[in-house]
Amino acid sequence: MDLTGTTVSPDSIDQILSPGETRTVNIVIANNHVEAIEVQASIVFAQEAAAFAPMAAGSSAAQAASSDGSRPQKAPARRQQVSRDDVSPHRCIFQYNMSHSSQRRLAATRRLKDLPHVDKVKEFTNLKIGVIELKPGADSMHECQTFKDRDRDGSFAFVELDVKMHVSPFVVGNAAPWEAAEQNDAKKDSFPDVASINARSTPKVSVQPVGGRMHRVEGQCAVAGQCTAATPGMRPSAAGDPEDPLYRRQWGMADIGAKEAWAMHGGMKNDYIVAVIDTGVQFDHPDLRDQMWTNPGEIPGNGVDDDDNGYVDDYYGYNFHDDQSNIAMGEHDHGTHCAGIIAATRDNNLGTAGVAGKAKIMALRALDDDAGGYTSNIIEALEYAVSMGAKLSSNSYGGGSPTQAMVAALQAAANIDHLFVVAAGNDAQDLESAPQYPCSYSGPNVLCIA
């Protein structure tokens, strides 16, 4: 059969379906020798994880000849694996075609805002990413596709669904019941280490998050000087150790040469900002309250956006999950745990010692009480961090497939010298063969810590 000049219209089909849903599409096939033939095809989606092609607007793959020049080939599209349960019901993420003029991008924004299901459009100028917020009742899985379909002049580099990332399931906050500690210890080997203390009460036995699992800490070890080298998990004190009672359980400090680093650099400058993008931070924690970053342009609690940055009362940071100023942790204190590892006050005879005890913690809540967070909230938190002067962010979450939005945001952050520190997870898996994101992004500013 002579296939010279064969065309297929459309040359790509992006369909987003729920499990069990069927969609019918018409495909027209033609070439130089026969009349056009219209074929009707039914797409049936029967799996829980959707294979969702990132919607690269204005960039339908052109037909390319194979090596023998006989049969047209289509370049394979990168695909984003998503489950409806992990898709935000009311948001899409996009990036404009940056080769277009600012006037054309402004016109594209106006067109978006005029669409019937669009509530508002947010644009993050540092990261060059935008978020479309939909009105109640709109279906993001349908509307995100519609925005791509209507993009006739290539205004968008991409339009994507807003998908969720999670803290690894082995990371449990210190408010969890003993059962969680016992279950986690049964699944993973125990580590003689403590990351933070529960400052809201002083029980004889408290739960301490340790590198992704929980451990008992006997009451006598919560008081300086009452722990001995014979206590399980403890090591003898040494010259130059911080005056913090649980420091001897922080075996990781020796592994990373923390004391040597402190001797050389003093644990960073007093004004070095670390943005903790997580579940929120207990800002009045006695081991953290002196370590919190504060916004110099904001008067706390007056209900006014004093510095005109778009966020009201963002004194310690901001809560992007709930769109409010309260950055205190909810039911999950993973963010406080991470902040304690970074910057818990040293030499205060309380709890643990932070690796960078002079750093200031900018608390940015992007994750919910189940320790999951949508990409849009994480990107907005990152935008806030870079715009407010944080050169480094802590990002201890992951899961799912890579997204064009995160790739673009991380590249933009790299261009303005922001270091994006991420967790490798708690599953002891080979990330070369089983990538986990954002850890597995290859940007020059992505530092993945195992």
Side-chain angles (χ1 to χ4, degrees):
M1 179 183 293
D2 185 359
L3 296 176
T4 304
T6 298
T7 60
V8 179
S9 179
D11 64 1
S12 66
I13 301 170
D14 292 322
Q15 294 289 331
I16 305 172
L17 306 178
S18 300
E21 186 178 352
T22 301
R23 189 73 55 85
T24 301
V25 296
N26 293 327
I27 303 172
V28 178
I29 303 173
N31 71 7
N32 296 338
H33 306 287
V34 299
E35 208 171 303
I37 301 171
E38 185 172 14
V39 178
Q40 191 175 78
S42 291
I43 300 173
V44 180
F45 177 40
Q47 297 185 25
E48 284 298 325
F52 171 64
M55 295 175 285
S59 61
S60 295
Q63 297 294 327
S66 65
S67 58
D68 62 5
S70 60
R71 184 180 295 276
Q73 300 282 334
K74 182 179 175 181
R78 292 177 56 196
R79 306 187 77 79
Q80 177 189 10
Q81 300 296 322
V82 297
S83 165
R84 182 176 281 274
D85 290 341
D86 280 340
V87 173
S88 168
H90 58 273
R91 286 181 188 158
C92 310
I93 307 178
F94 70 92
Q95 184 178 58
Y96 286 126
N97 185 335
M98 300 309 294
S99 66
H100 287 187
S101 66
S102 59
Q103 290 83 1
R104 287 185 69 179
R105 296 198 297 271
L106 183 61
T109 300
R110 286 196 296 265
R111 289 197 300 273
L112 276 177
K113 291 179 177 179
D114 288 341
L115 293 175
H117 294 296
V118 173
D119 184 25
K120 59 183 175 181
V121 178
K122 292 182 178 180
E123 296 182 63
F124 307 134
T125 55
N126 288 294
L127 301 184
K128 299 178 174 59
I129 298 292
V131 173
I132 303 166
E133 296 201 0
L134 303 173
K135 294 178 180 177
D139 180 4
S140 63
M141 296 189 83
H142 171 73
E143 294 301 328
C144 294
Q145 179 70 45
T146 300
F147 299 141
K148 182 260 183 179
D149 291 341
R150 292 185 178 183
D151 182 32
R152 303 302 182 190
D153 65 347
S155 295
F156 299 121
F158 62 80
V159 182
E160 281 191 323
L161 296 172
D162 183 14
V163 297
K164 185 175 281 190
M165 287 182 275
H166 303 266
V167 167
S168 176
F170 282 115
V171 176
V172 184
N174 62 10
W178 283 115
E179 289 77 9
E182 291 161 357
Q183 290 169 6
N184 284 344
D185 283 341
K187 293 177 182 177
K188 295 284 186 177
D189 293 334
S190 178
F191 286 97
D193 179 7
V194 167
S196 65
I197 68 167
N198 185 346
R200 288 166 292 182
S201 60
T202 311
K204 289 187 177 179
V205 180
S206 62
V207 178
Q208 312 295 338
V210 185
R213 23 194 144 0
M214 311 293 300
H215 296 271
R216 296 175 192 258
V217 179
E218 298 304 327
Q220 69 268 23
C221 294
V223 179
Q226 292 188 9
C227 292
T228 68
T231 303
M234 301 296 287
R235 56 180 174 77
S237 60
D241 279 1
E243 294 296 326
D244 298 289
L246 298 178
Y247 176 76
R248 283 179 288 168
R249 284 183 176 267
Q250 295 179 266
W251 58 267
M253 291 294 203
D255 283 4
I256 65 173
K259 288 200 297 183
E260 291 80 1
W262 296 336
M264 293 175 62
H265 303 289
M268 294 187 178
K269 298 179 181 178
N270 288 324
D271 59 350
Y272 197 91
I273 304 168
V274 178
V276 177
I277 301 176
D278 215 288
T279 60
V281 175
Q282 185 186 344
F283 58 87
D284 59 351
H285 190 298
D287 232 355
L288 289 175
R289 60 192 173 203
D290 295 330
Q291 309 302 118
M292 298 302 297
W293 169 85
T294 57
N295 182 354
E298 198 73 15
I299 300 172
N302 68 351
V304 176
D305 180 11
D306 299 289
D307 59 358
D308 199 30
N309 69 346
Y311 302 99
V312 174
D313 288 338
D314 54 319
Y315 188 63
Y316 295 111
Y318 199 74
N319 180 341
F320 300 95
H321 169 66
D322 299 307
D323 193 18
Q324 52 148 294
S325 60
N326 182 11
I327 52 83
M329 60 192 181
E331 297 298 320
H332 203 301
D333 52 3
H334 180 259
T336 298
H337 155 53
C338 292
I341 292 173
I342 297 166
T345 304
R346 290 205 304 270
D347 295 318
N348 64 346
N349 290 306
L350 177 66
T352 60
V355 176
K358 294 182 181 179
K360 295 299 183 183
I361 298 296
M362 177 187 287
L364 304 179
R365 183 173 183 183
L367 308 184
D368 58 25
D369 286 345
D370 294 322
Y374 289 114
T375 303
S376 61
N377 288 335
I378 290 167
I379 287 177
E380 187 169 5
L382 182 59
E383 171 76 12
Y384 182 96
V386 299
S387 66
M388 299 301 285
K391 290 290 186 181
L392 185 154
S393 60
S394 166
N395 302 269
S396 187
Y397 51 82
S401 297
T403 66
Q404 294 184 82
M406 282 302 296
V407 170
L410 291 174
Q411 180 59 60
N415 293 340
I416 50 180
D417 298 325
H418 181 90
L419 181 62
F420 191 82
V421 181
V422 299
N426 300 303
D427 301 319
Q429 65 183 17
D430 181 2
L431 299 184
E432 293 291 332
S433 58
Q436 176 176 293
Y437 297 90
C439 173
S440 296
Y441 287 120
S442 60
N445 60 326
V446 177
L447 179 61
C448 185
I449 305 298

